[in-house]
Amino acid sequence: MSGLLQPRAIGTSLPRIDGLAKVTGTAPYAYEQPVTDPLYLHPVQASIARGRVTAIDTAAAEALNGVVAVLTHHNAPRLASDHDKELWVLQSNQVAFRGQFIGAVIAETSEIARHAAELVHVSYDEQPHDTELRADRDDLYTPNGFQADTVDGDVDAALETAAVRIDQIYTTPMEHNNPVEPHTTVATWDSTGGTGRLTLYDSTQGVFGVRNALAPVFGLDPERIRVVAPYVGGGFGSKGMPHAHNVLTGLAAQVVGGRPVKYALTRQQMFALVGYRTPTIQRIQLGAEADGRLSTIAHDVIEQTSRIKEFAEGSAAPTRMMYGAPNRRTTHRLAALDVPVPFWMRAPGVAPGMFAGESAMDELAIACGLDPIELRVRNEPATDPETGKAWSGRHLIACLREGACRFGWDHRDPTPATHRQDCWLVGTGVAAATYPRCAMVGSTATIGYHHGRYLVRIGAMDIGTGSWTALTQIAADALTCPVDSVELQIGDTDLPTATIASGSSGITSWGTTIVETARTFRDKYGPDPSDGDEAHATMPDNPDADHYAMHSFGAQFAEVRINADTGEIRVPRMLGVFSIGRVINPRTARSQLIGGMTMGLSMALHEESIVDNRFGHVINHDLAGYHIATHADVNNIDATWLDEPDPHSNPMGSHGAGEIGIVGAAAAIANAVHHATGIRIRNLPITPDKLLH
């Protein structure tokens, strides 16, 4: 990748362009989009984990004043494709998990719809279900769709001869995304002309992803579905693709004569219907020489999926490239259970995988009598261990060194459980972080010149990350014009095609597309265009992607204080130092990194969705029972980065910042807890009961 942009707007802390609209309440989110004479939907959900509906009595609901329609599998419009079983809504009497949609009430108000849904009486033929993930299951299988297993060298032989060995099991629980804006859809079905046309105002991470996924389900050409989402109140992966509620609302819209139908999931419903981070059981085996140099790494992962749709993620993938060792093995196995479908959650796979890997590295450092930073330095690979490619820029050691200086690591006494201030045990920990530099092909953009301003149009997304602002800065530099000469339009399938906001790929994918379009525009019209001039372009291939391994890196530091009498855990300070290429907007990038670190703190100490296997559902399915980090838990969190553009990544020299902030944070806290107490917690979350022996 050659021809890096010369930054002018890029690198400045430009305030959010959408900030004023958001803080004044004038930015319309999905549920707030102005529609005429809307109706409201409330679902009927299965109260068993597996079986079939034998009878469903809707008479009382239909008799309620204000109810317009009640949908069940008996009368719902027929869908065209069952390729994605998660989206095969109200098409049969089969129940695959507790909380599945088995009906819906459409009414004049949300209150009437909810009351009517409670009046629907359902009878079941209940069948035995299985919702328990265990390592000793005899039905574990190798997932499809990605490289599940890798092996280099002779791992078992190397472990036998290793001077120092670590062999431990680490677990992470089921976790649920809880964005501030719940999953929401407003649907209108236009039957004019005989062929349906569906419009969705949706809370999504990708308008084109929604359109392309739903088109075959409804039997429509993609061009007959419009999805609009200019503002989204967080997604963290869970809004990366449509879920069953999108289909349910679309079905409802078909039967109400063209009136819009609104549906916002309740917090409780989200725990069954929009995905979750799969729980993991991870075995890490490390073999090293006495000086800490790794001879072998093995990382074996067990996860769960749903019987109706397979979903797996590569929790062991970062182990393949993180440290140098001649003998390496990774495996992934799945248990198919009677549960909802798992889905993406911030840094999918990488966050739980690096918790296990970086906790094991801390254990190895202690076993070798080495400082944890020095251990990582000794195992720094010159090239990517997985592919053999040169690094486009691997600055992990620089992150560790810079972080150590800022954090005061050199003054640390390595002896665990020896540091106390009054009734508080004090400890510090460190962990490394990585995340792949991701790019998604397929985005296009147009740039037009109108009345002295450049109109940049691309169907990209801003899910709260700052895309409105960062893309405007990129366009301004690519066009060599002031920021206020650029008008950006995003978040609508009426705009040119764009990929989803996922995997920290957005700015790379959309920004590269905008730069290419700007270059095309300037080549065609020069520096002095005429009113009405317009050009379009598609994201070009990156030839350097075949020759370089591209990853972001970081170092996470944490201090913990643990009450010796109660086990209460506090994290007074965290520090993250990251290598993420050139930063487009320091203000929004820092916000993303601190947000990720806060989510990592929450992962370490609080988050756990508890399944009652007798009934197959999450029992703490709201924010009263599902604990997350709040203001009282978050003290001094600082995030900084190295100033080093990656010339091979994209024309901006940037990487993504959305995911890497969470990676390594939980391990740094767990390692600090061990330093404070001498107790190694390998099963998240770290709660006081696990420290009170």
Side-chain angles (χ1 to χ4, degrees):
M1 176 66 66
S2 59
L4 284 180
L5 284 183
Q6 296 303 309
R8 299 186 313 157
I10 288 175
T12 63
S13 290
L14 187 69
R16 288 178 182 261
I17 289 173
D18 53 332
L20 180 62
K22 287 181 175 178
V23 300
T24 57
T26 58
Y29 290 83
Y31 202 77
E32 301 161 335
Q33 290 283 348
V35 294
T36 302
D37 198 18
L39 296 167
Y40 299 85
L41 181 148
H42 196 87
V44 180
Q45 295 176 266
S47 59
I48 65 171
R50 188 179 179 212
R52 63 188 182 91
V53 175
T54 58
I56 184 164
D57 183 355
T58 61
E62 290 169 330
L64 195 65
N65 186 35
V67 170
V68 174
V70 181
L71 292 182
T72 71
H73 67 278
H74 293 299
N75 65 346
R78 297 297 92 183
L79 297 173
S81 171
D82 67 348
H83 176 72
D84 187 334
K85 291 294 195 297
E86 182 186 4
L87 305 181
W88 191 241
V89 177
L90 299 190
Q91 302 299 294
S92 80
N93 66 347
Q94 298 298 307
V95 175
F97 59 89
R98 181 162 175 155
Q100 175 186 318
F101 290 142
I102 57 173
V105 174
I106 308 116
E108 296 290 345
T109 70
S110 59
E111 293 83 2
I112 294 172
R114 184 167 191 157
H115 178 42
E118 294 171 349
L119 299 178
V120 175
H121 180 73
V122 184
S123 300
Y124 301 96
D125 173 20
E126 188 170 2
Q127 300 170 8
H129 65 267
D130 181 3
T131 60
E132 186 177 3
L133 179 65
R134 304 187 318 275
D136 62 352
R137 298 180 65 99
D138 60 7
D139 59 350
L140 300 174
Y141 72 96
T142 304
N144 303 300
F146 75 100
Q147 188 177 21
D149 299 352
T150 60
V151 61
D152 291 283
D154 191 334
V155 169
D156 293 333
L159 285 169
E160 284 292 326
T161 59
V164 182
R165 282 178 286 181
I166 300 296
D167 186 351
Q168 297 292 349
I169 303 293
Y170 305 85
T171 69
T172 59
M174 175 189 288
E175 299 168 354
H176 277 82
N177 280 310
N178 277 281
V180 171
E181 181 197 20
H183 292 246
T184 302
T185 294
V186 180
T188 303
W189 187 275
D190 181 0
S191 298
T192 304
T195 302
R197 181 179 295 275
L198 178 63
T199 299
L200 294 175
Y201 297 101
D202 195 39
S203 183
T204 178
Q205 294 175 223
V207 289
F208 286 94
V210 172
R211 188 183 78 169
N212 295 337
L214 294 186
V217 175
F218 285 105
L220 297 174
D221 291 334
E223 291 73 20
R224 298 195 70 80
I225 299 177
R226 182 187 179 195
V227 185
V228 183
Y231 303 100
V232 179
F236 309 104
S238 66
K239 298 176 183 176
M241 293 295 287
H243 297 288
H245 68 280
N246 298 90
V247 178
L248 184 67
T249 313
L251 290 172
Q254 292 184 53
V255 303
V256 295
R259 293 178 67 181
V261 178
K262 290 189 170 190
Y263 176 34
L265 274 71
T266 66
R267 191 65 60 180
Q268 292 88 346
Q269 291 166 4
M270 285 170 55
F271 277 77
L273 294 164
V274 294
Y276 54 90
R277 196 193 295 280
T278 176
T280 70
I281 303 169
Q282 305 179 58
R283 183 185 183 188
I284 301 277
Q285 298 176 85
L286 303 178
E289 304 300 327
D291 63 0
R293 299 183 192 277
L294 286 163
S295 60
T296 187
I297 305 172
H299 191 169
D300 303 300
V301 182
I302 298 170
E303 303 168 347
Q304 76 179 38
T305 189
S306 171
R307 291 195 199 278
I308 63 170
K309 179 181 177 179
E310 181 178 295
F311 178 85
E313 53 191 35
S315 297
T319 300
R320 299 169 182 169
M321 48 65 60
M322 194 61 192
Y323 299 111
N327 305 285
R328 302 187 315 281
R329 181 186 70 226
T330 63
T331 68
H332 296 81
R333 296 294 180 267
L334 289 181
L337 304 176
D338 301 308
V339 295
V341 180
F343 201 56
W344 300 325
M345 188 169 179
R346 199 172 200 164
V350 181
M354 286 291 282
F355 161 71
E358 289 300 294
S359 295
M361 286 293 285
D362 199 66
E363 297 201 53
L364 180 63
I366 293 169
C368 294
L370 287 174
D371 177 82
I373 293 177
E374 177 59 27
L375 175 73
R376 289 165 173 82
V377 171
R378 292 187 184 188
N379 288 286
E380 176 75 357
T383 58
D384 180 5
E386 183 178 17
T387 65
K389 295 178 182 178
W391 301 107
S392 69
R394 177 173 170 130
H395 304 287
L396 174 59
I397 293 178
C399 290
L400 289 164
R401 299 291 194 213
E402 176 70 14
C405 181
R406 288 172 176 258
F407 198 73
W409 188 263
D410 291 345
H411 304 297
R412 178 183 190 259
D413 182 342
T415 309
T418 58
H419 312 284
R420 183 165 180 158
Q421 294 180 4
D422 299 325
C423 63
W424 296 92
L425 304 174
V426 182
T428 52
V430 66
T434 190
Y435 198 80
R437 170 270 190 194
C438 297
M440 297 186 183
V441 299
S443 294
T444 60
T446 64
I447 295 178
Y449 188 71
H450 301 279
H451 307 297
R453 302 190 75 206
Y454 295 91
L455 178 62
V456 180
R457 305 173 76 244
I458 182 171
M461 303 301 303
D462 191 327
I463 59 175
T465 52
S467 300
W468 276 107
T469 309
L471 292 179
T472 299
Q473 292 174 267
I474 291 169
D477 280 2
L479 291 164
T480 60
C481 71
V483 166
D484 58 10
S485 294
V486 175
E487 179 184 343
L488 180 70
Q489 292 183 356
I490 61 174
D492 192 329
T493 52
D494 279 355
L495 298 171
T497 302
T499 53
I500 66 174
S502 176
S504 297
S505 68
I507 293 300
T508 287
S509 305
W510 312 324
T512 300
T513 305
I514 288 172
V515 171
E516 182 69 13
T517 308
R519 289 172 176 171
T520 301
F521 185 93
R522 285 295 187 225
D523 288 345
K524 190 173 183 179
Y525 302 112
D528 188 22
S530 300
D531 199 59
D533 287 346
E534 185 173 282
H536 71 275
T538 299
M539 176 180 168
D541 293 333
N542 180 359
D544 288 358
D546 294 330
H547 305 291
Y548 293 92
M550 301 183 186
H551 298 261
S552 295
F553 294 93
Q556 299 266 18
F557 295 80
E559 176 186 315
V560 302
R561 295 180 179 233
I562 300 170
N563 190 290
D565 300 318
T566 67
E568 177 188 352
I569 307 165
R570 292 290 181 186
V571 182
R573 61 189 181 115
M574 295 178 69
L575 169 67
V577 180
F578 301 98
S579 171
I580 52 174
R582 173 179 284 151
V583 169
I584 305 298
N585 186 311
R587 185 184 305 225
T588 56
R590 186 172 185 272
S591 175
Q592 282 295 292
L593 294 171
I594 288 177
M597 293 170 68
T598 301
M599 203 165 170
L601 182 154
S602 196
M603 174 185 178
L605 301 183
H606 301 293
E607 296 193 41
E608 180 179 20
S609 302
I610 301 170
V611 177
D612 186 335
N613 292 311
R614 298 171 301 167
F615 305 107
H617 72 299
V618 175
I619 59 175
N620 58 330
H621 59 174
D622 55 34
L623 293 182
Y626 184 85
H627 294 167
I628 60 173
T630 61
H631 286 293
D633 301 301
V634 182
N635 290 287
N636 181 11
I637 296 184
D638 187 19
T640 188
W641 48 84
L642 308 179
D643 183 17
E644 31 77 43
D646 183 346
H648 307 291
S649 176
N650 55 50
M652 301 80 68
S654 65
H655 289 198
E659 319 280 340
I660 195 168
I662 191 175
V663 180
I669 292 171
N671 295 340
V673 167
H674 177 267
H675 184 234
T677 64
I679 301 171
R680 177 64 63 177
I681 305 298
R682 303 184 180 92
N683 309 302
L684 292 183
I686 305 169
T687 49
D689 57 294
K690 296 176 182 178
L691 297 171
L692 296 175
H693 291 286

